[in-house]
Amino acid sequence: MSTVLRLAIQKSGRLSEESIKLIKECGIEFSSGGGTLKSVAHNFPIEVLFLRDDDIPGYVADGVADIGIVGENVAVETRKKLTTVRQLGFSTCRLSIGVPKGMEFTGKESLNGMRIATSYPNILSDYLFENNIKASIHEISGSVEIAPGIGLADAICDIVSSGSTLISNGLKETEVVFRSQAILAACPQLSADKQAILDELMFRISAVKNAEKTKYIMLNVPDHAIKTVTNLLPGVKSPTVMPLAEKGWSSLHSVVKESDFWEILSKLKEAGAEGILVLPIEKIVK
Ligand code: PRT
Ligand code: ZN
């Protein structure tokens, strides 16, 4: 039987949708609906396992799965031996200290002597150790944010994204303990065959990630302004310039970062550019 790489992703939760989308954008087709526990891709040597996120680091470290997509917070907390292949840029969040909003808090030293409730005792104890803070950790598995209100703890250390959960529980965010995003993690010992499949997958993921937040731009430019406009559009290498049927005009094609686009738009117009088209890009192979 030919080698298949086993990829573990979250079955249902905050990581699932983006994980599935990423793999599908890599051109890998597999079914992901319903209560599927595993699914074999039909056009790439990969098998997808659908698991609870907390189980992914252990499965990957033990080699039950070869690679997995999981939050850095979970990967680091479990202290499993994993290789971080790359960060994936989604499910970003932070692990922060929250204290009752009326509490005086002047900095991390204020944590000395406190009881801190968390589901992340390992990450928190590393943080306290590194910052030379003596506090006690109260491990709880869920609804951490209610701990101060019921007198279980003085402060909490929990995942924050928008911050609204803290606010609605009468807490304020103080110190950021850890910043997290989804990562692709691998078992430290992969066979050469599996490593080759992973390399191909990584190549595809890079192409998808390079294309994110970039746009393809096409615009008409009077020939005398080509140089000015070219300088405004760095592109992958340099813009493509093609003559238009109308004499004295050319069409320029290039790639721009979406974040730069609005800034250069007015400069492009000033330089005489017209008929500006901006299109999405699916993949960029460098
Ligand atoms: O069932 P399973 O065990 O697989 O899933 P889960 O319920 O344990 O995890 P899930 O799906 O909630 O989160 C998976 C991963 O998403 C986490 O490990 C983080 O890496 C990442 N992530 C990103 C988040 C958040 N954002 C997030 N906001 N995980 C949890 N939250 C929770 C947080 O615990 C808190 O209760 O959302 C609340 C705070 O959100 P805000 O926006 O109010 O600040
Ligand atoms: Zn979980």
Side-chain angles (χ1 to χ4, degrees):
M1 213 185 87
S2 57
T3 311
V4 167
L5 193 71
R6 297 185 114 194
L7 161 69
I9 63 172
Q10 191 189 25
K11 186 170 165 47
S12 91
R14 288 185 163 89
L15 295 158
S16 313
E17 200 182 313
E18 290 277 359
S19 304
I20 292 170
K21 185 167 149 253
L22 176 64
I23 302 307
K24 294 201 166 167
E25 281 174 350
C26 289
I28 300 169
E29 291 164 12
F30 63 97
S31 60
S32 52
T36 326
L37 294 177
K38 75 179 189 179
S39 174
V40 183
H42 34 87
N43 60 352
F44 194 81
I46 212 166
E47 182 174 58
V48 184
L49 308 180
F50 300 89
L51 302 170
R52 283 202 57 197
D53 70 340
D54 315 73
D55 296 333
I56 294 175
Y59 275 55
V60 173
D62 298 345
V64 177
D66 302 303
I67 57 171
I69 296 178
V70 69
E72 268 173 313
N73 52 322
V74 172
V76 172
E77 180 63 27
T78 56
R79 294 200 163 147
K80 297 282 180 191
K81 254 188 142 267
L82 298 169
T83 307
T84 299
V85 183
R86 68 167 287 160
Q87 294 183 316
L88 297 171
F90 58 84
S91 299
T92 50
C93 57
R94 52 202 188 271
L95 200 54
S96 288
I97 301 288
V99 299
K101 69 172 185 286
M103 180 191 277
E104 199 186 325
F105 194 91
T106 49
K108 41 179 149 337
E109 315 71 49
S110 301
L111 291 170
N112 274 304
M114 283 195 191
R115 289 167 306 155
I116 311 171
T118 189
S119 314
Y120 293 87
N122 291 329
I123 295 179
L124 178 59
S125 79
D126 286 352
Y127 171 85
L128 296 175
F129 180 77
E130 279 158 22
N131 289 283
N132 199 21
I133 295 161
K134 303 269 176 297
S136 62
I137 297 175
H138 196 104
E139 184 179 350
I140 48 178
S141 57
S143 305
V144 174
E145 61 281 353
I146 65 166
I150 59 171
L152 195 67
D154 306 302
I156 66 162
C157 172
D158 198 14
I159 300 279
V160 179
S161 146
S162 66
S164 60
T165 303
L166 286 186
I167 292 168
S168 60
N169 283 282
L171 302 170
K172 62 181 177 189
E173 184 178 2
T174 58
E175 304 300 305
V176 175
V177 169
F178 186 82
R179 291 193 187 275
S180 178
Q181 59 177 281
I183 54 166
L184 182 70
C187 176
Q189 308 90 23
L190 282 183
S191 67
D193 287 359
K194 288 189 171 181
Q195 186 62 48
I197 303 171
L198 177 56
D199 291 345
E200 172 60 26
L201 178 67
M202 285 306 301
F203 175 76
R204 295 188 186 195
I205 290 178
S206 297
V208 171
K209 289 286 159 194
N210 289 339
E212 262 175 20
K213 302 190 179 94
T214 53
K215 299 282 175 203
Y216 192 76
I217 185 167
M218 303 198 290
L219 58 170
N220 296 337
V221 183
D223 287 344
H224 64 80
I226 290 177
K227 201 151 192 288
T228 318
V229 171
T230 304
N231 288 337
L232 292 169
L233 297 170
V236 174
K237 264 210 181 111
S238 68
T240 309
V241 183
M242 284 176 289
L244 288 181
E246 189 178 334
K247 225 174 163 306
W249 281 80
S250 294
S251 171
L252 247 78
H253 295 195
S254 190
V255 172
V256 287
K257 278 208 200 117
E258 188 165 22
S259 52
D260 294 343
F261 172 71
W262 296 106
E263 213 179 291
I264 49 178
L265 179 63
S266 56
K267 293 182 188 150
L268 293 173
K269 281 187 171 164
E270 252 170 58
E274 288 180 6
I276 303 172
L277 289 183
V278 179
L279 303 138
I281 299 176
E282 252 189 43
K283 321 271 186 305
I284 295 182
V285 179
K286 286 191 172 160

